[in-house]
């Protein structure tokens, strides 16, 4: 199977967070407002309103705000107590030919809500890219360790063996579901469009002298100019806040996945079987110099819990939007939406960093297997003695007694599990003594206890992961110009 190593991109994970931070930055927010005002003016001019070419050109030339314009906007907002009108005025100072037609027929939510939908769409694109990279990295890890036996745990108690790679596929499968959910949310996002103060488009109907066809055309034109496939057919003054629920839900679900993965790694670090990256000069504790704390995984758990609870905010905000809208959503959403995306982005970049430097300790894993495998091998021992002519019930009873003696040795005396040595001293089992070895073909070969784990990893990566990564190629390249080689 071809290696899953992976996305060749000039952008490291630390720069991805800068992209997300820029997406929700004031400079990008107000640039987007100006772009929306430009799109509205272009569409209105094309449909016959008296808007000059000079006005359009001046708007195009001044989409980005200078520091001086930020100062002007801040002073205007302090005076007017209205951020949108402050920026309408500020835009007009650098595009004077357009000053009289900026925001023509629109309500504040034309720029605020449509801009938010753009940010949600573009933010999901960034998360999809990062999530696909993480899946690719973990797939390389799973493939590399698909056949390395390790002790499985249920209830965090020793259970049957699995493999290190098979355990990683459990993480990847949940990430695949997160990718599916986030992609669905991304594909569902529409545009608020040009709907007016209460969603009736009354102001635009007035502008176009009662021409319904032109109002419909205006909505479609601005939607297309803004890069959306469709606009929501009906809105109030705002787009429905259920859209925020639909977007933050998959992010919260991803938070649960990330928390589970990071917790597994923290537990494995305690067992000294698998560790996250730890630099040679890194300090684990100010007092205990020997410590190698899994601080990256702990950070993932900490931020993931925050990400999971933000969804509740969206639910509550949506539930209290009276009639056509109420403003108690605004301050809340200005915090919740950027926080959700920035948090998800940082969790992803941290997980990617962890996945690219996971350290596996096969000898520690083998030692733990050797401590538990004798008990797990008892059924194989019984079957082997029966094949040599022994009695199944008699063999079972002898194994039961020897197992209890070995268990006492481990739990009460603090010794090693010596069940195999006890079997080798019992004359009843002498016909299979030569088979009691941990090399290939022996009754204690760990690989004989992992079932189809290696084959499951191969099938999973080939039939489930690779097609998803292939399908993601187009969207990933469109979002970030990175190249995927699977």
């Amino acid at each position: 199977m071809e290696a899953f190593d992976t996305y060749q991109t000039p952008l490291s994970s630390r720069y991805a967070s800068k992209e997300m931070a820029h997406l929700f930055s004031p400079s990008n927010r107000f640039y987007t407002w100006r772009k929306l005002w430009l799109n509205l003016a272009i569409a209105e001019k094309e449909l016959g309103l008296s808007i000059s070419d000079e006005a359009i050109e001046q708007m195009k030339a001044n989409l980005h705000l200078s520091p001086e314009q930020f100062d002007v906007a801040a002073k205007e907002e302090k005076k007017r107590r209205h951020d949108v009108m402050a920026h309408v005025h500020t835009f007009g100072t650098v595009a004077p030919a357009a000053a009289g037609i900026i925001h023509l027929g629109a309500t504040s939510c034309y720029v605020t809500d449509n801009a938010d939908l753009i940010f949600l769409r573009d933010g999901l694109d960034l998360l999809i890219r990062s999530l696909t990279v993480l899946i690719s990295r973990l797939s390389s890890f799973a493939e590399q360790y698909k056949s390395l036996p390790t002790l499985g745990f249920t209830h965090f108690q020793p259970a049957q063996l699995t493999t290190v790679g098979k355990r990683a596929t459990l993480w990847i499968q949940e990430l695949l579901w997160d990718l599916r959910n986030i992609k669905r949310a991304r594909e569902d996002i529409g545009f608020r469009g040009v709907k007016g103060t209460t969603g009736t488009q009354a102001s635009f109907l007035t502008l176009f002298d009662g021409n319904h066809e032109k109002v419909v055309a205006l909505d479609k034109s601005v939607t297309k100019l803004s890069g959306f496939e469709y606009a929501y057919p009906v809105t109030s003054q705002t787009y429905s806040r259920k859209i925020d629920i639909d977007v933050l839900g998959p992010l919260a679900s991803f938070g649960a996945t990330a928390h589970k993965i990071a917790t597994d790694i923290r537990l494995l670090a305690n067992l000294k079987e698998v560790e996250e990256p730890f630099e040679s000069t890194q300090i684990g504790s100010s007092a205990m110099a020997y410590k190698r704390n899994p601080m990256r995984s702990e950070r993932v758990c900490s931020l993931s819990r925050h990400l999971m609870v933000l969804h509740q905010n969206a639910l509550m905000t949506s539930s209290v939007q009276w009639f056509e809208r109420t403003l108690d959503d605004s301050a809340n959403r200005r915090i919740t939406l950027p926080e959700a995306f920035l948090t998800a982005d940082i969790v992803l970049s941290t997980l990617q960093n962890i996945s690219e430097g996971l350290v596996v300790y096969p000898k520690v894993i083998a030692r733990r297997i050797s401590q538990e495998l004798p008990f797990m091998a008892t059924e194989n021992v019984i079957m082997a003695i029966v094949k040599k002519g022994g009695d199944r019930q008699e063999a079972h009873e002898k194994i039961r007694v020897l197992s209890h003696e070995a268990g006492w040795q481990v739990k009460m005396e603090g010794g090693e599990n010596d069940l195999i040595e006890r079997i080798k001293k019992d004359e009843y089992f002498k016909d299979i003594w030569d088979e009691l070895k941990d090399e290939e073909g022996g009754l204690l070969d760990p690989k004989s206890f992992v079932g189809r784990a290696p084959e499951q990893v191969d099938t999973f990566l080939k039939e489930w992961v690779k097609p998803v990564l292939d399908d993601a190629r187009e969207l990933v390249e469109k979002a970030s110009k990175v190249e995927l080689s699977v």
Side-chain angles (χ1 to χ4, degrees), residues 371-384:
Q371 294 169 347
E372 301 293 340
L373 192 61
F375 293 134
M376 298 175 191
T378 53
E379 185 68 16
N380 287 11
V381 172
I382 293 172
M383 293 300 99

Side-chain angles (χ1 to χ4, degrees), residues 82-102:
H82 197 291
D83 56 351
V84 173
M85 289 309 299
H87 279 272
V88 169
H89 170 83
T90 303
F91 198 11
T93 64
V94 292
I101 57 90
I102 295 172

